[in-house]
PDB file of all heavy atoms in Angstrom:
ATOM      1  N   ALA A   1     -12.576   4.167   7.399  1.00 96.00           N
ATOM      2  CA  ALA A   1     -13.669   4.192   6.389  1.00 96.00           C
ATOM      3  C   ALA A   1     -13.129   3.634   4.981  1.00 96.00           C
ATOM      4  O   ALA A   1     -13.859   2.850   4.330  1.00 96.00           O
ATOM      5  CB  ALA A   1     -14.100   5.621   6.165  1.00 96.00           C
ATOM      6  N   ALA A   2     -11.881   3.914   4.649  1.00 97.00           N
ATOM      7  CA  ALA A   2     -11.290   3.517   3.444  1.00 97.00           C
ATOM      8  C   ALA A   2     -11.165   2.006   3.442  1.00 97.00           C
ATOM      9  O   ALA A   2     -11.385   1.238   2.481  1.00 97.00           O
ATOM     10  CB  ALA A   2      -9.985   4.183   3.135  1.00 97.00           C
ATOM     11  N   ARG A   3     -10.664   1.499   4.656  1.00 97.00           N
ATOM     12  CA  ARG A   3     -10.504   0.049   4.844  1.00 97.00           C
ATOM     13  C   ARG A   3     -11.859  -0.732   4.656  1.00 97.00           C
ATOM     14  O   ARG A   3     -11.926  -1.673   3.898  1.00 97.00           O
ATOM     15  CB  ARG A   3      -9.959  -0.288   6.119  1.00 97.00           C
ATOM     16  CG  ARG A   3      -8.515   0.083   6.352  1.00 97.00           C
ATOM     17  CD  ARG A   3      -8.040   0.011   7.828  1.00 97.00           C
ATOM     18  NE  ARG A   3      -6.742   0.463   7.978  1.00 97.00           N
ATOM     19  CZ  ARG A   3      -5.675  -0.283   8.041  1.00 97.00           C
ATOM     20  NH1 ARG A   3      -5.786  -1.628   7.966  1.00 97.00           N
ATOM     21  NH2 ARG A   3      -4.487   0.208   8.168  1.00 97.00           N
ATOM     22  N   ALA A   4     -12.881  -0.169   5.247  1.00 97.00           N
ATOM     23  CA  ALA A   4     -14.148  -0.850   5.157  1.00 97.00           C
ATOM     24  C   ALA A   4     -14.669  -0.873   3.745  1.00 97.00           C
ATOM     25  O   ALA A   4     -15.249  -1.852   3.252  1.00 97.00           O
ATOM     26  CB  ALA A   4     -15.228  -0.165   6.093  1.00 97.00           C
ATOM     27  N   ALA A   5     -14.480   0.204   2.995  1.00 97.00           N
ATOM     28  CA  ALA A   5     -14.914   0.316   1.606  1.00 97.00           C
ATOM     29  C   ALA A   5     -14.216  -0.697   0.697  1.00 97.00           C
ATOM     30  O   ALA A   5     -14.840  -1.383  -0.155  1.00 97.00           O
ATOM     31  CB  ALA A   5     -14.780   1.722   1.071  1.00 97.00           C
ATOM     32  N   LEU A   6     -12.908  -0.845   0.986  1.00 97.00           N
ATOM     33  CA  LEU A   6     -12.191  -1.801   0.151  1.00 97.00           C
ATOM     34  C   LEU A   6     -12.436  -3.295   0.516  1.00 97.00           C
ATOM     35  O   LEU A   6     -12.509  -4.112  -0.322  1.00 97.00           O
ATOM     36  CB  LEU A   6     -10.632  -1.527   0.326  1.00 97.00           C
ATOM     37  CG  LEU A   6     -10.188  -0.197  -0.327  1.00 97.00           C
ATOM     38  CD1 LEU A   6      -8.755   0.206   0.179  1.00 97.00           C
ATOM     39  CD2 LEU A   6     -10.303  -0.178  -1.770  1.00 97.00           C
ATOM     40  N   GLN A   7     -12.653  -3.446   1.839  1.00 97.00           N
ATOM     41  CA  GLN A   7     -13.004  -4.834   2.270  1.00 97.00           C
ATOM     42  C   GLN A   7     -14.336  -5.224   1.761  1.00 97.00           C
ATOM     43  O   GLN A   7     -14.568  -6.351   1.496  1.00 97.00           O
ATOM     44  CB  GLN A   7     -12.915  -4.876   3.778  1.00 97.00           C
ATOM     45  CG  GLN A   7     -11.419  -4.864   4.305  1.00 97.00           C
ATOM     46  CD  GLN A   7     -11.360  -4.550   5.782  1.00 97.00           C
ATOM     47  OE1 GLN A   7     -12.340  -4.165   6.477  1.00 97.00           O
ATOM     48  NE2 GLN A   7     -10.225  -4.707   6.350  1.00 97.00           N
ATOM     49  N   ALA A   8     -15.250  -4.237   1.655  1.00 97.00           N
ATOM     50  CA  ALA A   8     -16.546  -4.533   1.100  1.00 97.00           C
ATOM     51  C   ALA A   8     -16.442  -5.035  -0.363  1.00 97.00           C
ATOM     52  O   ALA A   8     -17.384  -5.660  -0.878  1.00 97.00           O
ATOM     53  CB  ALA A   8     -17.475  -3.277   1.170  1.00 97.00           C
ATOM     54  N   GLN A   9     -15.402  -4.568  -1.097  1.00 96.00           N
ATOM     55  CA  GLN A   9     -15.176  -5.062  -2.423  1.00 96.00           C
ATOM     56  C   GLN A   9     -14.419  -6.393  -2.558  1.00 96.00           C
ATOM     57  O   GLN A   9     -14.129  -6.863  -3.609  1.00 96.00           O
ATOM     58  CB  GLN A   9     -14.359  -3.967  -3.211  1.00 96.00           C
ATOM     59  CG  GLN A   9     -15.141  -2.613  -3.358  1.00 96.00           C
ATOM     60  CD  GLN A   9     -16.447  -2.801  -4.104  1.00 96.00           C
ATOM     61  OE1 GLN A   9     -16.515  -3.525  -5.107  1.00 96.00           O
ATOM     62  NE2 GLN A   9     -17.496  -2.173  -3.609  1.00 96.00           N
ATOM     63  N   GLY A  10     -14.153  -6.891  -1.368  1.00 96.00           N
ATOM     64  CA  GLY A  10     -13.489  -8.211  -1.299  1.00 96.00           C
ATOM     65  C   GLY A  10     -11.966  -8.222  -1.207  1.00 96.00           C
ATOM     66  O   GLY A  10     -11.271  -9.272  -1.118  1.00 96.00           O
ATOM     67  N   ALA A  11     -11.385  -6.925  -1.050  1.00 97.00           N
ATOM     68  CA  ALA A  11      -9.939  -6.857  -0.895  1.00 97.00           C
ATOM     69  C   ALA A  11      -9.481  -7.142   0.578  1.00 97.00           C
ATOM     70  O   ALA A  11     -10.239  -6.848   1.492  1.00 97.00           O
ATOM     71  CB  ALA A  11      -9.472  -5.475  -1.370  1.00 97.00           C
ATOM     72  N   GLN A  12      -8.235  -7.691   0.717  1.00 98.00           N
ATOM     73  CA  GLN A  12      -7.763  -7.868   2.015  1.00 98.00           C
ATOM     74  C   GLN A  12      -6.690  -6.781   2.209  1.00 98.00           C
ATOM     75  O   GLN A  12      -5.724  -6.643   1.421  1.00 98.00           O
ATOM     76  CB  GLN A  12      -7.027  -9.221   2.185  1.00 98.00           C
ATOM     77  CG  GLN A  12      -6.438  -9.543   3.503  1.00 98.00           C
ATOM     78  CD  GLN A  12      -5.881 -10.947   3.661  1.00 98.00           C
ATOM     79  OE1 GLN A  12      -5.936 -11.764   2.666  1.00 98.00           O
ATOM     80  NE2 GLN A  12      -5.232 -11.172   4.755  1.00 98.00           N
ATOM     81  N   VAL A  13      -6.816  -6.038   3.306  1.00 98.00           N
ATOM     82  CA  VAL A  13      -5.874  -4.874   3.611  1.00 98.00           C
ATOM     83  C   VAL A  13      -4.918  -5.438   4.630  1.00 98.00           C
ATOM     84  O   VAL A  13      -5.220  -5.927   5.697  1.00 98.00           O
ATOM     85  CB  VAL A  13      -6.643  -3.675   4.106  1.00 98.00           C
ATOM     86  CG1 VAL A  13      -5.698  -2.550   4.493  1.00 98.00           C
ATOM     87  CG2 VAL A  13      -7.676  -3.193   3.126  1.00 98.00           C
ATOM     88  N   ILE A  14      -3.611  -5.270   4.272  1.00 98.00           N
ATOM     89  CA  ILE A  14      -2.513  -5.819   5.121  1.00 98.00           C
ATOM     90  C   ILE A  14      -1.625  -4.625   5.604  1.00 98.00           C
ATOM     91  O   ILE A  14      -1.148  -3.867   4.800  1.00 98.00           O
ATOM     92  CB  ILE A  14      -1.689  -6.823   4.320  1.00 98.00           C
ATOM     93  CG1 ILE A  14      -2.603  -7.947   3.722  1.00 98.00           C
ATOM     94  CG2 ILE A  14      -0.548  -7.348   5.158  1.00 98.00           C
ATOM     95  CD1 ILE A  14      -1.895  -8.786   2.662  1.00 98.00           C
ATOM     96  N   ASP A  15      -1.434  -4.531   6.861  1.00 96.00           N
ATOM     97  CA  ASP A  15      -0.652  -3.411   7.445  1.00 96.00           C
ATOM     98  C   ASP A  15       0.849  -3.804   7.312  1.00 96.00           C
ATOM     99  O   ASP A  15       1.237  -4.912   7.798  1.00 96.00           O
ATOM    100  CB  ASP A  15      -1.011  -3.164   8.885  1.00 96.00           C
ATOM    101  CG  ASP A  15      -2.376  -2.471   8.944  1.00 96.00           C
ATOM    102  OD1 ASP A  15      -2.488  -1.340   8.474  1.00 96.00           O
ATOM    103  OD2 ASP A  15      -3.244  -3.084   9.549  1.00 96.00           O
ATOM    104  N   CYS A  16       1.652  -2.935   6.714  1.00 96.00           N
ATOM    105  CA  CYS A  16       3.117  -3.223   6.515  1.00 96.00           C
ATOM    106  C   CYS A  16       3.899  -1.870   6.514  1.00 96.00           C
ATOM    107  O   CYS A  16       4.560  -1.556   5.549  1.00 96.00           O
ATOM    108  CB  CYS A  16       3.281  -3.982   5.256  1.00 96.00           C
ATOM    109  SG  CYS A  16       4.898  -4.787   5.114  1.00 96.00           S
ATOM    110  N   PRO A  17       3.823  -1.152   7.630  1.00 93.00           N
ATOM    111  CA  PRO A  17       4.450   0.180   7.629  1.00 93.00           C
ATOM    112  C   PRO A  17       5.933   0.072   7.878  1.00 93.00           C
ATOM    113  O   PRO A  17       6.501  -0.764   8.603  1.00 93.00           O
ATOM    114  CB  PRO A  17       3.750   0.915   8.790  1.00 93.00           C
ATOM    115  CG  PRO A  17       3.365  -0.183   9.745  1.00 93.00           C
ATOM    116  CD  PRO A  17       3.017  -1.363   8.859  1.00 93.00           C
ATOM    117  N   GLY A  18       6.711   0.971   7.169  1.00 90.00           N
ATOM    118  CA  GLY A  18       8.065   1.124   7.483  1.00 90.00           C
ATOM    119  C   GLY A  18       8.340   2.291   8.373  1.00 90.00           C
ATOM    120  O   GLY A  18       7.298   3.011   8.803  1.00 90.00           O
ATOM    121  N   PRO A  19       9.546   2.654   8.669  1.00 80.00           N
ATOM    122  CA  PRO A  19       9.791   3.759   9.609  1.00 80.00           C
ATOM    123  C   PRO A  19       9.450   5.111   8.935  1.00 80.00           C
ATOM    124  O   PRO A  19       9.556   5.192   7.671  1.00 80.00           O
ATOM    125  CB  PRO A  19      11.244   3.638   9.883  1.00 80.00           C
ATOM    126  CG  PRO A  19      11.826   2.932   8.739  1.00 80.00           C
ATOM    127  CD  PRO A  19      10.745   1.911   8.275  1.00 80.00           C
ATOM    128  N   ARG A  20       9.134   6.119   9.650  1.00 69.00           N
ATOM    129  CA  ARG A  20       8.914   7.440   9.119  1.00 69.00           C
ATOM    130  C   ARG A  20      10.215   8.088   8.698  1.00 69.00           C
ATOM    131  O   ARG A  20      11.194   7.929   9.368  1.00 69.00           O
ATOM    132  CB  ARG A  20       8.264   8.367  10.204  1.00 69.00           C
ATOM    133  CG  ARG A  20       6.828   7.908  10.541  1.00 69.00           C
ATOM    134  CD  ARG A  20       6.210   8.866  11.555  1.00 69.00           C
ATOM    135  NE  ARG A  20       4.876   8.401  11.982  1.00 69.00           N
ATOM    136  CZ  ARG A  20       3.784   8.769  11.360  1.00 69.00           C
ATOM    137  NH1 ARG A  20       3.785   9.448  10.301  1.00 69.00           N
ATOM    138  NH2 ARG A  20       2.589   8.287  11.805  1.00 69.00           N
ATOM    139  N   LYS A  21      10.139   8.613   7.544  1.00 66.00           N
ATOM    140  CA  LYS A  21      11.383   9.280   6.936  1.00 66.00           C
ATOM    141  C   LYS A  21      11.768  10.576   7.620  1.00 66.00           C
ATOM    142  O   LYS A  21      12.909  10.928   7.750  1.00 66.00           O
ATOM    143  CB  LYS A  21      11.197   9.479   5.459  1.00 66.00           C
ATOM    144  CG  LYS A  21      11.041   8.210   4.615  1.00 66.00           C
ATOM    145  CD  LYS A  21      12.259   7.368   4.546  1.00 66.00           C
ATOM    146  CE  LYS A  21      12.026   6.166   3.671  1.00 66.00           C
ATOM    147  NZ  LYS A  21      13.266   5.347   3.601  1.00 66.00           N
ATOM    148  N   ALA A  22      10.739  11.343   8.071  1.00 55.00           N
ATOM    149  CA  ALA A  22      10.972  12.625   8.683  1.00 55.00           C
ATOM    150  C   ALA A  22       9.834  12.857   9.694  1.00 55.00           C
ATOM    151  O   ALA A  22       8.784  12.181   9.644  1.00 55.00           O
ATOM    152  CB  ALA A  22      11.012  13.699   7.680  1.00 55.00           C
ATOM    153  N   ALA A  23      10.124  13.782  10.606  1.00 56.00           N
ATOM    154  CA  ALA A  23       9.118  14.056  11.550  1.00 56.00           C
ATOM    155  C   ALA A  23       7.874  14.628  10.867  1.00 56.00           C
ATOM    156  O   ALA A  23       7.835  15.501  10.022  1.00 56.00           O
ATOM    157  CB  ALA A  23       9.589  15.181  12.565  1.00 56.00           C
ATOM    158  N   GLY A  24       6.696  13.983  11.203  1.00 60.00           N
ATOM    159  CA  GLY A  24       5.430  14.404  10.636  1.00 60.00           C
ATOM    160  C   GLY A  24       5.164  13.785   9.306  1.00 60.00           C
ATOM    161  O   GLY A  24       4.059  13.929   8.753  1.00 60.00           O
ATOM    162  N   GLY A  25       6.202  13.103   8.729  1.00 69.00           N
ATOM    163  CA  GLY A  25       5.967  12.519   7.441  1.00 69.00           C
ATOM    164  C   GLY A  25       5.178  11.178   7.531  1.00 69.00           C
ATOM    165  O   GLY A  25       5.101  10.524   8.509  1.00 69.00           O
ATOM    166  N   SER A  26       4.574  10.855   6.358  1.00 81.00           N
ATOM    167  CA  SER A  26       3.759   9.600   6.362  1.00 81.00           C
ATOM    168  C   SER A  26       4.737   8.424   6.061  1.00 81.00           C
ATOM    169  O   SER A  26       5.546   8.456   5.166  1.00 81.00           O
ATOM    170  CB  SER A  26       2.707   9.696   5.218  1.00 81.00           C
ATOM    171  OG  SER A  26       1.845  10.738   5.446  1.00 81.00           O
ATOM    172  N   PRO A  27       4.578   7.288   6.780  1.00 89.00           N
ATOM    173  CA  PRO A  27       5.352   6.153   6.471  1.00 89.00           C
ATOM    174  C   PRO A  27       5.050   5.559   5.165  1.00 89.00           C
ATOM    175  O   PRO A  27       3.962   5.629   4.687  1.00 89.00           O
ATOM    176  CB  PRO A  27       5.048   5.243   7.670  1.00 89.00           C
ATOM    177  CG  PRO A  27       3.670   5.590   8.089  1.00 89.00           C
ATOM    178  CD  PRO A  27       3.535   7.132   7.881  1.00 89.00           C
ATOM    179  N   LYS A  28       5.916   4.878   4.616  1.00 94.00           N
ATOM    180  CA  LYS A  28       5.754   4.102   3.347  1.00 94.00           C
ATOM    181  C   LYS A  28       5.649   2.558   3.753  1.00 94.00           C
ATOM    182  O   LYS A  28       6.100   2.151   4.749  1.00 94.00           O
ATOM    183  CB  LYS A  28       6.956   4.329   2.422  1.00 94.00           C
ATOM    184  CG  LYS A  28       7.102   5.751   1.974  1.00 94.00           C
ATOM    185  CD  LYS A  28       6.069   6.205   1.008  1.00 94.00           C
ATOM    186  CE  LYS A  28       6.367   7.529   0.373  1.00 94.00           C
ATOM    187  NZ  LYS A  28       5.314   7.983  -0.497  1.00 94.00           N
ATOM    188  N   VAL A  29       5.124   1.814   2.814  1.00 97.00           N
ATOM    189  CA  VAL A  29       5.128   0.392   2.963  1.00 97.00           C
ATOM    190  C   VAL A  29       6.550  -0.142   3.041  1.00 97.00           C
ATOM    191  O   VAL A  29       7.408   0.314   2.209  1.00 97.00           O
ATOM    192  CB  VAL A  29       4.331  -0.265   1.824  1.00 97.00           C
ATOM    193  CG1 VAL A  29       4.547  -1.773   1.805  1.00 97.00           C
ATOM    194  CG2 VAL A  29       2.881   0.076   1.911  1.00 97.00           C
ATOM    195  N   ASP A  30       6.818  -0.921   3.900  1.00 97.00           N
ATOM    196  CA  ASP A  30       8.092  -1.649   4.073  1.00 97.00           C
ATOM    197  C   ASP A  30       8.187  -2.694   2.996  1.00 97.00           C
ATOM    198  O   ASP A  30       7.623  -3.739   3.164  1.00 97.00           O
ATOM    199  CB  ASP A  30       8.325  -2.180   5.447  1.00 97.00           C
ATOM    200  CG  ASP A  30       9.699  -2.702   5.699  1.00 97.00           C
ATOM    201  OD1 ASP A  30      10.345  -3.226   4.753  1.00 97.00           O
ATOM    202  OD2 ASP A  30      10.195  -2.651   6.867  1.00 97.00           O
ATOM    203  N   LEU A  31       8.906  -2.416   1.842  1.00 97.00           N
ATOM    204  CA  LEU A  31       8.920  -3.318   0.734  1.00 97.00           C
ATOM    205  C   LEU A  31       9.532  -4.701   1.070  1.00 97.00           C
ATOM    206  O   LEU A  31       9.081  -5.789   0.662  1.00 97.00           O
ATOM    207  CB  LEU A  31       9.582  -2.678  -0.442  1.00 97.00           C
ATOM    208  CG  LEU A  31       8.841  -1.430  -0.994  1.00 97.00           C
ATOM    209  CD1 LEU A  31       9.656  -0.840  -2.126  1.00 97.00           C
ATOM    210  CD2 LEU A  31       7.444  -1.713  -1.429  1.00 97.00           C
ATOM    211  N   ALA A  32      10.638  -4.629   1.827  1.00 97.00           N
ATOM    212  CA  ALA A  32      11.294  -5.864   2.167  1.00 97.00           C
ATOM    213  C   ALA A  32      10.444  -6.749   3.091  1.00 97.00           C
ATOM    214  O   ALA A  32      10.307  -8.003   2.922  1.00 97.00           O
ATOM    215  CB  ALA A  32      12.563  -5.621   2.888  1.00 97.00           C
ATOM    216  N   ALA A  33       9.754  -6.164   4.052  1.00 97.00           N
ATOM    217  CA  ALA A  33       8.804  -6.847   4.939  1.00 97.00           C
ATOM    218  C   ALA A  33       7.651  -7.360   4.140  1.00 97.00           C
ATOM    219  O   ALA A  33       7.144  -8.438   4.431  1.00 97.00           O
ATOM    220  CB  ALA A  33       8.343  -5.913   6.042  1.00 97.00           C
ATOM    221  N   MET A  34       7.173  -6.621   3.176  1.00 98.00           N
ATOM    222  CA  MET A  34       6.119  -7.120   2.322  1.00 98.00           C
ATOM    223  C   MET A  34       6.487  -8.373   1.554  1.00 98.00           C
ATOM    224  O   MET A  34       5.715  -9.337   1.431  1.00 98.00           O
ATOM    225  CB  MET A  34       5.739  -5.953   1.340  1.00 98.00           C
ATOM    226  CG  MET A  34       4.599  -6.349   0.241  1.00 98.00           C
ATOM    227  SD  MET A  34       4.415  -5.188  -1.028  1.00 98.00           S
ATOM    228  CE  MET A  34       5.862  -5.425  -1.948  1.00 98.00           C
ATOM    229  N   MET A  35       7.737  -8.417   0.988  1.00 98.00           N
ATOM    230  CA  MET A  35       8.223  -9.570   0.291  1.00 98.00           C
ATOM    231  C   MET A  35       8.207 -10.814   1.218  1.00 98.00           C
ATOM    232  O   MET A  35       7.902 -11.919   0.856  1.00 98.00           O
ATOM    233  CB  MET A  35       9.620  -9.324  -0.233  1.00 98.00           C
ATOM    234  CG  MET A  35       9.607  -8.350  -1.401  1.00 98.00           C
ATOM    235  SD  MET A  35       8.614  -8.839  -2.841  1.00 98.00           S
ATOM    236  CE  MET A  35       8.881  -7.381  -3.906  1.00 98.00           C
ATOM    237  N   ARG A  36       8.686 -10.555   2.538  1.00 98.00           N
ATOM    238  CA  ARG A  36       8.678 -11.707   3.452  1.00 98.00           C
ATOM    239  C   ARG A  36       7.273 -12.172   3.731  1.00 98.00           C
ATOM    240  O   ARG A  36       7.020 -13.403   3.857  1.00 98.00           O
ATOM    241  CB  ARG A  36       9.396 -11.280   4.740  1.00 98.00           C
ATOM    242  CG  ARG A  36      10.915 -10.972   4.563  1.00 98.00           C
ATOM    243  CD  ARG A  36      11.600 -10.885   5.917  1.00 98.00           C
ATOM    244  NE  ARG A  36      11.097  -9.700   6.633  1.00 98.00           N
ATOM    245  CZ  ARG A  36      11.680  -8.470   6.523  1.00 98.00           C
ATOM    246  NH1 ARG A  36      12.673  -8.252   5.726  1.00 98.00           N
ATOM    247  NH2 ARG A  36      11.194  -7.444   7.282  1.00 98.00           N
TER     248      ARG A  36
END
């Protein structure tokens, strides 16, 4: 739903997850992969 709302505003959503830091934790954007 969030993706659809942002794309409706013209934004491009790019998936770039890094590894999970801990069990059950949310992953962060992989900054090095984002730069590449």
Side-chain angles (χ1 to χ4, degrees):
R3 289 168 185 264
L6 294 170
Q7 290 166 347
Q9 296 299 317
Q12 182 177 355
V13 179
I14 303 165
D15 290 297
C16 193
R20 294 181 183 273
K21 297 291 185 180
S26 299
K28 299 287 188 180
V29 168
D30 186 327
L31 297 176
M34 178 188 71
M35 292 297 179
R36 292 191 295 270

